[in-house]
Amino acid sequence: MTVLETARLRLRPMTDDDLEQMSALLGDSEVMRYYPAPKTRVEAQRWIDWNKRNYAEHGFGLWIMEDHHGNFIGDCGLTIQNVDGTAEVEVGYHVVTAHQGKGYATEAAQECLRFAAVSGIERVIAIIDPANAPSQRVAEKAGLHLEKKATRNGREQLIFAITL
């Protein structure tokens, strides 16, 4: 199982034991402000199950982001997303409201990009709501640049990208 480490963080695979924390994170209306709606507990379990399938199929997914003391910070990692008919590797992140603005998402995203590069992935994107300025800043600090706009699920999204 892949575990990534940074100066302040550990990124580890999600398990069913993470349901309480993931349900709170994905159910938080502030964290999920740029999604159609916060997720229910059942949807949070589906999120965990989806990531477990991603680990098995791709060798990556969204990982639990925690500090070196085991405190839950959020999730961050890589998933396959379809943009304009093309399968792309996306870096994504969600951070608990109390830990936002501390650079955790940027630090974790940068480590995910390093993982992608050593894994032979040549390009990574981030799909971001046009109103989500904090997420856009994270993508830019991690080295991604605005590439285009795309419509996904009936909503306009910004596509940031980096070639590794």
Side-chain angles (χ1 to χ4, degrees), residues 3-11 64-73 104 107 111:
V3 175
L4 306 177
E5 301 264 348
T6 71
R8 300 184 296 162
L9 299 170
R10 181 171 86 124
L11 302 175
I64 293 294
M65 183 186 344
E66 57 191 16
D67 66 19
H68 291 292
H69 302 287
N71 298 309
F72 181 74
I73 306 294
Y104 290 127
E107 185 175 329
E111 184 60 26

Side-chain angles (χ1 to χ4, degrees), residues 69-133:
H69 302 287
N71 298 309
F72 181 74
I73 306 294
D75 70 358
C76 183
L78 305 169
T79 61
I80 305 293
Q81 300 291 335
N82 188 302
V83 177
D84 294 335
T86 302
E88 300 263 20
V89 176
E90 182 196 26
V91 62
Y93 32 83
H94 301 95
V95 177
V96 172
T97 305
H99 293 297
Q100 291 178 0
K102 299 178 181 177
Y104 290 127
T106 301
E107 185 175 329
Q110 288 170 332
E111 184 60 26
C112 289
L113 293 175
R114 280 190 282 281
F115 172 85
V118 300
S119 298
I121 297 167
E122 297 177 355
R123 173 182 157 86
V124 174
I125 65 164
I127 303 166
I128 304 173
D129 186 287
N132 191 344

